Amino acid sequence: SIRNHCYHNSLPKNNTFPITMHLSITLAATLCCLCLQQQADAFSTLPASSTYHYSSSSTTARNAFSFPNLFQSKDVRRSELKEQILSLASDTKRGLTATEEQKEQMQTLFAELEALNPTLNPLRKASVNGDWSLDYTTSDTILGKGGFPRIGPIIQNIDTTTLSAKNSETVQYVLFPVPRSISAELSPVNGKLTDVKFKRFQLGPIGFDAPDSFRGSLDITYLDQDVRLTRGDKGNIFVLTRM
């Protein structure tokens, strides 16, 4: 044809040049496609096997335009995490019946919410004060695992104006529910960590001083108007909600 004639007449006698050019163009196009695919993979929220139909034909393609929600509000994420944490706490009866899998799940959620703590130096904020209900803990002692069951809420009161705290609960001793509590003195180390010295035990109508060796610490790692997260000196975690 005229087209082929013109094309072949325009070629140099040695055809190596146009063949090399064709190979270079093909290779460059292939590399560009691979780079674009990698970029699409990096921003896609779908797993590698996910496809979507973009025409009436049976051809499918990766959804390269589904972006992760990189701009999700921190407040929204906090609300989601708190809902998941409190739901898991309820399902496991404050952690009393938690399986190993549920414990790991709680640790993950706990750490993620800690990272979104909206309150700097919580011990210096008035909002840390008041009564808080323990919704979850990893402490077998506080949960009463293997001992007498706890009835009703387990309450912690904090008062930074007097540098004092008090834990109170009701324990079912065989046939009789007995209230008991322990008061403590706080010695803040910084804006979130405080040393704790237990001062006095109360068991029903009977009260007695705590031994001098009864000490610990309290690290408040998250605080908002509804939820407080703390870590104890023995590695236990605590989820509390405002009463």
Side-chain angles (χ1 to χ4, degrees), residues 72-95 98 101-113 116 135-136 222 224 227 229 237 239 241:
Q72 183 185 42
S73 165
K74 287 184 178 181
D75 289 337
V76 171
R77 186 55 184 153
R78 286 190 195 103
S79 296
E80 290 176 351
L81 287 169
K82 289 194 293 185
E83 182 179 351
Q84 292 175 52
I85 286 172
L86 296 180
S87 175
L88 185 57
S90 176
D91 291 343
T92 60
K93 299 180 180 178
R94 285 195 289 238
E101 182 180 355
Q102 289 171 320
K103 289 177 182 179
E104 290 178 8
Q105 182 183 1
M106 180 62 84
Q107 291 281 359
T108 299
L109 295 170
F110 192 96
E112 189 174 349
L113 186 56
L116 295 175
D135 283 33
Y136 181 91
Y222 179 94
D224 64 23
V227 172
L229 304 183
I237 62 173
V239 177
T241 52

Side-chain angles (χ1 to χ4, degrees), residues 3-73:
R3 181 180 177 185
N4 288 335
H5 174 75
C6 293
Y7 176 74
H8 287 295
N9 284 342
S10 66
L11 293 176
K13 293 181 180 180
N14 185 348
N15 290 338
T16 304
F17 175 73
I19 292 173
T20 303
M21 285 293 293
H22 279 302
L23 290 174
S24 298
I25 293 170
T26 302
L27 179 59
T30 302
L31 289 174
C32 286
C33 290
L34 288 173
C35 289
L36 289 171
Q37 182 63 51
Q38 288 176 343
Q39 288 178 334
D41 290 346
F43 288 99
S44 178
T45 59
L46 297 176
S49 60
S50 297
T51 58
Y52 75 105
H53 291 277
Y54 63 89
S55 70
S56 58
S57 67
S58 59
T59 305
T60 59
R62 291 288 305 278
N63 186 352
F65 302 100
S66 293
F67 290 87
N69 192 353
L70 300 176
F71 305 102
Q72 183 185 42
S73 165

Side-chain angles (χ1 to χ4, degrees), residues 141 150 167-171 173 178-182 202-204:
T141 302
R150 275 56 173 164
N167 295 341
S168 57
E169 63 187 354
T170 299
V171 180
Y173 288 109
V178 179
R180 68 180 189 182
S181 64
I182 181 171
Q202 191 74 32
L203 182 62

Side-chain angles (χ1 to χ4, degrees), residues 151-199:
I151 302 172
I154 298 174
I155 303 169
Q156 183 176 77
N157 177 274
I158 290 182
D159 188 346
T160 57
T161 62
T162 60
L163 293 179
S164 63
K166 183 179 181 179
N167 295 341
S168 57
E169 63 187 354
T170 299
V171 180
Q172 183 73 37
Y173 288 109
V174 190
L175 300 177
F176 304 100
V178 179
R180 68 180 189 182
S181 64
I182 181 171
S183 58
E185 178 182 281
L186 304 179
S187 299
V189 176
N190 53 43
K192 61 190 286 290
L193 175 66
T194 180
D195 289 331
V196 179
K197 184 181 185 302
F198 297 104
K199 301 292 288 183

